Amino acid sequence: NEGEYSLLYEIKGPKQPLYYEAKNPLRKQANKNIESFWPSLPQSIRDFYDFHNGFFYLASHSLGPSPLEEVFLLSDEEWGILESIPAPPVDLDKTIALFTNGMSGYVCLDMSKSNPENEAIIWWSNKAPKLDVKFWDIVDAWTAIGLDG
């Protein structure tokens, strides 16, 4: 794809096959804002990215962990929701969006937390965030929703 290799998974869906892409982990490249956080990410997440550089529904480029090139800090984006909530409950400069559900929801890690993997955030662009969720529990649940069609 565009001169790069990826793994393409065909998964039997309820109505038709679903296609998921995992980009080449040997070519993963974090943007500059993420690079400094990479060594501090939980080992399970770094291990995942060593095996797959993202794993997402090909048609929507969502419903799975994003390729590292598309992972971003919440402070890199404009969020209209900030006007509706009293104060951001997380440090936007240290909160990494690793997964998008394709419908305004992101699974994020606040790297200022002592255990970010077990204190993850569901960040919504249109409603207040949900705090202190387990990263892999939400990733698994949202990925399963995508696989169920």
Side-chain angles (χ1 to χ4, degrees):
N1 182 13
E2 298 179 11
E4 294 189 16
Y5 292 100
S6 293
L7 291 174
L8 182 64
Y9 291 88
E10 180 181 51
I11 300 168
K12 183 180 178 186
K15 297 177 185 170
Q16 61 189 20
L18 303 170
Y19 295 95
Y20 275 72
E21 180 179 2
K23 293 193 175 257
N24 185 347
L26 299 176
R27 304 217 9 135
K28 67 183 181 283
Q29 179 75 36
N31 72 46
K32 294 242 185 254
N33 293 338
I34 301 299
E35 281 180 347
S36 63
F37 292 105
W38 184 254
S40 302
L41 279 170
Q43 187 65 49
S44 66
I45 294 169
R46 286 184 287 139
D47 288 347
F48 174 85
Y49 278 92
D50 285 342
F51 186 71
H52 281 110
N53 182 13
F55 179 80
F56 50 89
Y57 182 51
L58 187 61
S60 66
H61 218 75
S62 64
L63 294 170
S66 300
L68 193 54
E69 299 78 23
E70 296 174 19
V71 169
F72 62 92
L73 292 173
L74 290 183
S75 61
D76 291 341
E77 301 290 323
E78 295 292 323
W79 302 100
I81 190 66
L82 294 176
E83 298 166 2
S84 303
I85 56 178
V90 298
D91 184 342
L92 300 179
D93 291 325
K94 294 180 181 174
T95 302
I96 302 169
L98 289 156
F99 182 114
T100 177
N101 69 0
M103 297 180 296
S104 75
Y106 301 86
V107 184
C108 305
L109 296 180
D110 181 347
M111 297 306 293
S112 65
K113 299 278 188 178
S114 61
N115 190 356
E117 188 174 14
N118 290 321
E119 300 173 78
I121 298 125
I122 299 175
W123 184 264
W124 298 98
S125 64
N126 57 1
K127 60 184 172 181
K130 182 171 180 156
L131 306 174
D132 298 325
V133 299
K134 293 186 184 309
F135 177 82
W136 288 112
D137 288 355
I138 299 303
V139 167
D140 289 348
W142 282 5
T143 301
I145 289 168
L147 293 172
D148 288 339

